[in-house]
Amino acid sequence: MIFYFVALSTASLLVLIPHLHKETNRWAAFFLFSASIGGLTGLLRQNGFTELAHAAEFINHTLTPYGVLVFSLVYSGVLENNPRARRLAKGLLLLPVPAMLMYTAYKDAFAIHYGPLLLWTAPYYLSACWLLVLSLRKERNPVHRRNRLITTLIIVPTLLGVLLFINVARVFSPAFDFFGYVSVFILYSFAVALLCVFVYGVLGIRLRFERDSLDTTMQAVTSGTTLLNHSIKNELGKISLSTVNLQESLGEKDAEVKEHLRIIASASDHMLDMVGRIHNRTKEIVLKERPVSIDKLAMDAVRLHERLFATQQITITTSFECRPSVRLDPVHLTEVIGNLLGNAAEAMPDGGTLTVTLAPVRQGAVLSISDTGGGIPPGELPRVFEPFYTTKKKADNYGLGLSYVYNVMQKSGGSVEISSKPGAGTSVRLYFPRSKIVQLNGEKTDGTY
């Protein structure tokens, strides 16, 4: 049983720590840890801590079904567009837990009464399974659909096993030894989860390894382009100087030669400009942080793109649920937001809607910039943060915009995520951790800009 506790509590930490800002991961960690507490009951009883064993068993049997249903609700996105309804649902779904506590305290403190327990845990477990299957059926993005399939395969069989061999079996036989049966489902879930974490990634766990690799790539690019920039600038300087000297030594009759030299000089200037722009995007970022209002920074960036949006008939919608003051570098963050707004405009050449939202999350705040453009193909989405990788056909695009965004957010202690659906648009979310937030204003404003 202690293995049961160690395995599930470790799994909860692995799901939680890399993605504290994700509500889905927080609820996954909650129900995994609630389930793990059941593994302590045997150890506590053996050491004479009977009341603690009863408490651990009660927490395990009541908070686990609650946690797994709320996780499935959040993961499926059923109430994603109605935060108030989602908060209300979380509160209402918790009511059976204190009701069960009062019932057991009246009957026999912390003893589990499986009949009344089954009346509400069975609908909870079955509803959680239904929500997971529903989210899988509704998902159209191939990458997301694969991840939802994996999550469903990991969770649903084990939930049904727990319901059958613990909740149902104990109603008819309170002394039924369920552990041997349930452990088979637990081992199955762990085997599938471990395999898929390394092959595909589950609940974002694999993303940590990908980001470590990306960080290493960014460091290599920074060092390489710094050295290359220095060498190219020196050599182009020599070409430019020699060109000027040759032009001055030529007479009036050498007009054709002078024209060729002018072309060489122009090409040298263009290459210097190009190298400079690449270097600015890849050089080591040095932050000069101070408290900055994210909402003001976002609105200033929107105003700078006002003429472009008007020309392309793009409607800007803003929604600020909070107005946080965050310690960061305003110059770099302004450039980051400008990059994302520019990308959104490029994705909607024939018009559309661009939505800028700022909302509080448990671990900080998130700024989202979403467009209704053509979206990014699923096969290209995992590579968008890679330096020099681009899906655009423009000759002056070097594929450094999103890698710069990633680099700035990492240096700032935050993170960036991107989701996209072909034909429906792209959404980029900038997460700012609570540790960097100086003040979080809960005032909400909505409007169309």
Side-chain angles (χ1 to χ4, degrees):
M1 293 287 280
I2 192 65
F3 168 77
Y4 182 85
F5 169 74
V6 172
L8 288 178
S9 58
T10 301
S12 71
L13 292 175
L14 289 174
V15 168
L16 178 65
I17 291 174
H19 301 285
L20 285 169
H21 59 271
K22 277 191 171 183
E23 187 179 12
T24 303
N25 288 59
R26 293 198 300 271
W27 281 107
F30 177 86
F31 87 73
L32 284 170
F33 187 73
S34 299
S36 74
I37 292 175
L40 293 176
T41 55
L43 182 65
L44 290 170
R45 283 199 181 95
Q46 289 174 9
N47 288 276
F49 300 106
T50 306
E51 291 185 358
L52 284 176
H54 284 320
E57 192 173 25
F58 179 85
I59 291 171
N60 171 244
H61 285 297
T62 57
L63 289 185
T64 302
Y66 167 72
V68 79
L69 179 54
V70 176
F71 160 78
S72 302
L73 188 70
V74 174
Y75 184 74
S76 65
V78 170
L79 298 175
E80 186 176 10
N81 297 323
N82 195 336
R84 182 175 296 179
R86 189 164 65 177
R87 285 193 294 268
L88 180 62
K90 292 175 188 175
L92 292 175
L93 290 173
L94 185 61
L95 291 178
V97 177
M100 196 74 192
L101 178 61
M102 289 187 288
Y103 179 84
T104 54
Y106 173 74
K107 290 286 186 179
D108 184 11
F110 290 121
I112 302 298
H113 297 270
Y114 288 96
L117 183 70
L118 182 64
L119 291 177
W120 65 274
T121 55
Y124 274 38
Y125 281 130
L126 292 174
S127 296
C129 294
W130 177 78
L131 285 169
L132 291 174
V133 173
L134 178 67
S135 69
L136 172 62
R137 290 184 60 186
K138 289 171 61 178
E139 184 59 62
R140 292 293 176 264
N141 184 306
V143 175
H144 294 167
R145 184 177 175 83
R146 181 195 64 200
N147 290 338
R148 289 187 184 278
L149 174 62
I150 293 169
T151 302
T152 303
L153 289 175
I154 291 172
I155 296 176
V156 169
T158 300
L159 289 186
L160 295 176
V162 167
L163 175 62
L164 177 63
F165 291 107
I166 297 180
N167 297 79
V168 175
R170 282 288 180 92
V171 170
F172 299 99
S173 177
F176 178 73
D177 186 9
F178 63 83
F179 183 73
Y181 298 94
V182 173
S183 61
V184 173
F185 289 92
I186 298 294
L187 289 172
Y188 155 80
S189 292
F190 268 98
V192 175
L194 285 173
L195 175 65
C196 294
V197 159
F198 287 106
V199 177
Y200 299 114
V202 179
L203 291 175
I205 296 174
R206 187 183 176 214
L207 188 58
R208 184 64 192 172
F209 304 116
E210 293 172 349
R211 284 184 171 175
D212 289 343
S213 174
L214 185 54
D215 289 338
T216 303
T217 302
M218 285 301 301
Q219 291 172 5
V221 169
T222 297
S223 301
T225 54
T226 299
L227 180 62
L228 185 62
N229 177 71
H230 179 73
S231 300
I232 291 177
K233 285 180 72 174
N234 284 344
E235 297 307 313
L236 287 175
K238 295 175 186 177
I239 293 172
S240 180
L241 181 62
S242 298
T243 302
V244 171
N245 291 335
L246 278 171
Q247 284 178 324
E248 292 177 352
S249 66
L250 292 171
E252 293 296 329
K253 60 180 180 179
D254 298 314
E256 185 178 350
V257 176
K258 281 188 173 183
E259 177 60 19
H260 287 300
L261 290 174
R262 188 195 64 77
I263 293 171
I264 293 172
S266 177
S268 299
D269 290 340
H270 174 73
M271 288 184 69
L272 278 170
D273 179 63
M274 182 186 72
V275 169
R277 280 188 283 169
I278 291 175
H279 178 62
N280 287 336
R281 288 296 176 88
T282 58
K283 68 182 181 182
E284 185 69 19
I285 292 173
V286 178
L287 300 178
K288 296 180 180 178
E289 296 185 337
R290 61 179 176 86
V292 177
S293 297
I294 299 294
D295 58 298
K296 292 181 180 178
L297 220 60
M299 289 310 300
D300 287 345
V302 168
R303 290 188 182 98
L304 285 173
H305 291 75
E306 203 173 30
R307 188 180 298 277
L308 173 63
F309 295 145
T311 301
Q312 295 184 199
Q313 297 183 325
I314 295 173
T315 301
I316 313 299
T317 301
T318 63
S319 176
F320 296 153
E321 296 182 24
C322 62
R323 296 181 178 276
S325 178
V326 183
R327 184 171 292 280
L328 45 77
D329 188 313
V331 175
H332 281 295
L333 189 64
T334 297
E335 183 72 10
V336 163
I337 297 172
N339 262 288
L340 299 179
L341 293 175
N343 287 348
E346 287 186 26
M348 299 183 289
D350 301 318
T353 301
L354 191 148
T355 304
V356 180
T357 62
L358 186 55
V361 292
R362 180 162 297 184
Q363 297 301 320
V366 57
L367 175 68
S368 301
I369 297 174
S370 306
D371 64 61
T372 56
I376 302 171
E380 297 180 353
L381 194 60
R383 300 190 61 191
V384 293
F385 292 120
E386 292 180 14
F388 304 111
Y389 183 82
T390 180
T391 60
K392 302 171 185 176
K393 307 303 180 185
K394 293 172 65 177
D396 61 345
N397 186 281
Y398 309 121
L400 292 169
L402 285 176
S403 63
Y404 169 77
V405 170
Y406 171 87
N407 205 9
V408 170
M409 292 304 296
Q410 288 292 100
K411 291 282 186 179
S412 301
S415 61
V416 55
E417 292 183 354
I418 185 169
S419 60
S420 188
K421 189 173 183 180
T426 300
S427 180
V428 181
R429 294 170 293 280
L430 306 177
Y431 290 94
F432 302 94
R434 186 177 294 276
S435 60
K436 302 300 289 285
I437 295 178
V438 179
Q439 185 178 4
L440 186 64
N441 184 352
E443 178 182 326
K444 180 179 178 180
T445 63
D446 294 281
T448 300
Y449 185 78

